[in-house]
Amino acid sequence: MSGIQRLDPRMVLGAYAVGVFPMADARDAREVYWVEPKRRAVLPLDRFRCSRSLRKTIAADRFRVTADTAFAEVVRLCAESVPDRPDTWINRGIERVFGDLHALGHAHSIECRDQDGRLVGGLYGLALGRAFFGESMVSRATDASKVALAWLVARLRIGGFTLLDCQFQTAHLASLGAVEIDRAAYIELLGAALSGVGAAGSGADRAGDFGALDRGWTSPSGTVSGPPAGKDIAQLLAQTS
């Protein structure tokens, strides 16, 4: 990766804290540029649209869903060239700094594996304070990215997060409940989500807990000890869908 712009993790955290994020022109681009959209897509955590068919897919455990077990693989899968998207904004510098941020406990992934254990979808993003910045999601099997997003929403709700930033609006995200807001409204939501938390992640008592879902929580049908099954996630999401 000689010649690739080196991104400092602390600088990247500081950028996200003020509503700015990096992108690249292509996978092999040597540098990144910094983006501050005038219109921002966010997905209100209490308004995720989980259709009946998606709830059935989740409840049936068609995919084995995990978190932070294959972060690097998810990022690489998101960066892969596919026929309808021959290039990507995830260059080697972004891939590397997100690996650093994952090691620091700020970047996380959700993985979806098929019944043979193959990684067929997922997403990754950055957690800061009570905000989660979704970076990219990928699907190599029907509904894999939707299932990953549903599990992410459940995880953020249980963990006390208040903002799920989706960056740019798409028809796919809109169908799942994402809305587009102007920069002023976004900065207000971001400020509330980061209240009491420094740009480097200090103030842990005011931060969301990405791992809360794994340690036990109260489901609609009672207390769940340890990681939930798909039926528990489907129940949780059915409350607001």
Side-chain angles (χ1 to χ4, degrees):
M1 290 189 283
S2 177
I4 299 294
Q5 179 182 356
R6 185 83 189 193
L7 296 172
D8 178 73
R10 302 296 171 180
M11 177 186 69
V12 173
L13 288 174
Y16 277 87
V18 296
V20 182
F21 55 88
M23 296 185 73
D25 285 323
R27 178 66 169 160
D28 60 356
R30 295 186 177 277
E31 297 184 349
V32 304
Y33 56 94
W34 297 90
V35 183
E36 185 179 20
K38 293 182 179 179
R39 304 282 296 175
R40 199 84 165 222
V42 299
L43 203 166
L45 295 173
D46 60 351
R47 282 186 271 167
F48 177 69
R49 293 177 191 157
C50 190
S51 66
R52 182 176 299 180
S53 62
L54 180 56
R55 286 200 299 270
K56 286 182 178 179
T57 297
I58 295 168
D61 287 319
R62 185 196 300 175
F63 303 105
R64 182 167 63 86
V65 184
T66 54
D68 289 340
T69 66
F71 182 85
E73 290 85 348
V74 169
V75 176
R76 284 197 294 270
L77 194 64
C78 286
E80 277 185 2
S81 174
V82 291
D84 62 346
R85 193 205 61 203
D87 218 329
T88 176
W89 56 267
I90 307 170
N91 73 346
R92 304 291 180 180
I94 290 173
E95 180 181 2
R96 181 164 54 188
V97 77
F98 267 87
D100 294 339
L101 288 164
H102 176 61
L104 291 170
H106 285 291
H108 301 282
S109 60
I110 303 288
E111 306 92 23
C112 288
R113 299 184 183 278
D114 65 15
Q115 298 305 311
D116 295 320
R118 293 175 299 216
L119 184 67
V120 293
L123 57 83
Y124 78 96
L126 177 73
L128 185 62
R130 295 177 298 281
F132 189 88
F133 307 88
E135 288 296 301
S136 185
M137 39 182 203
V138 62
S139 188
R140 295 290 184 266
T142 301
D143 288 338
S145 63
K146 289 183 180 180
V147 170
L149 184 59
W151 275 77
L152 174 67
V153 169
R155 182 172 289 274
L156 298 182
R157 287 177 58 184
I158 295 300
F161 287 79
T162 60
L163 173 62
L164 173 51
D165 175 8
C166 301
Q167 297 182 344
F168 298 110
Q169 182 71 300
T170 66
H172 177 63
L173 287 170
S175 72
L176 295 168
V179 296
E180 197 174 45
I181 59 177
D182 63 27
R183 184 179 183 279
Y186 173 76
I187 291 299
E188 184 176 349
L189 291 175
L190 179 62
L194 300 184
S195 175
V197 181
S202 59
D205 58 322
R206 303 299 303 277
D209 184 353
F210 194 80
L213 188 68
D214 303 318
R215 296 191 299 273
W217 52 288
T218 302
S219 75
S221 58
T223 300
V224 176
S225 297
K231 61 181 177 58
D232 301 311
I233 299 301
Q235 277 188 313
L236 175 66
L237 295 174
Q239 296 178 82
T240 54
S241 298

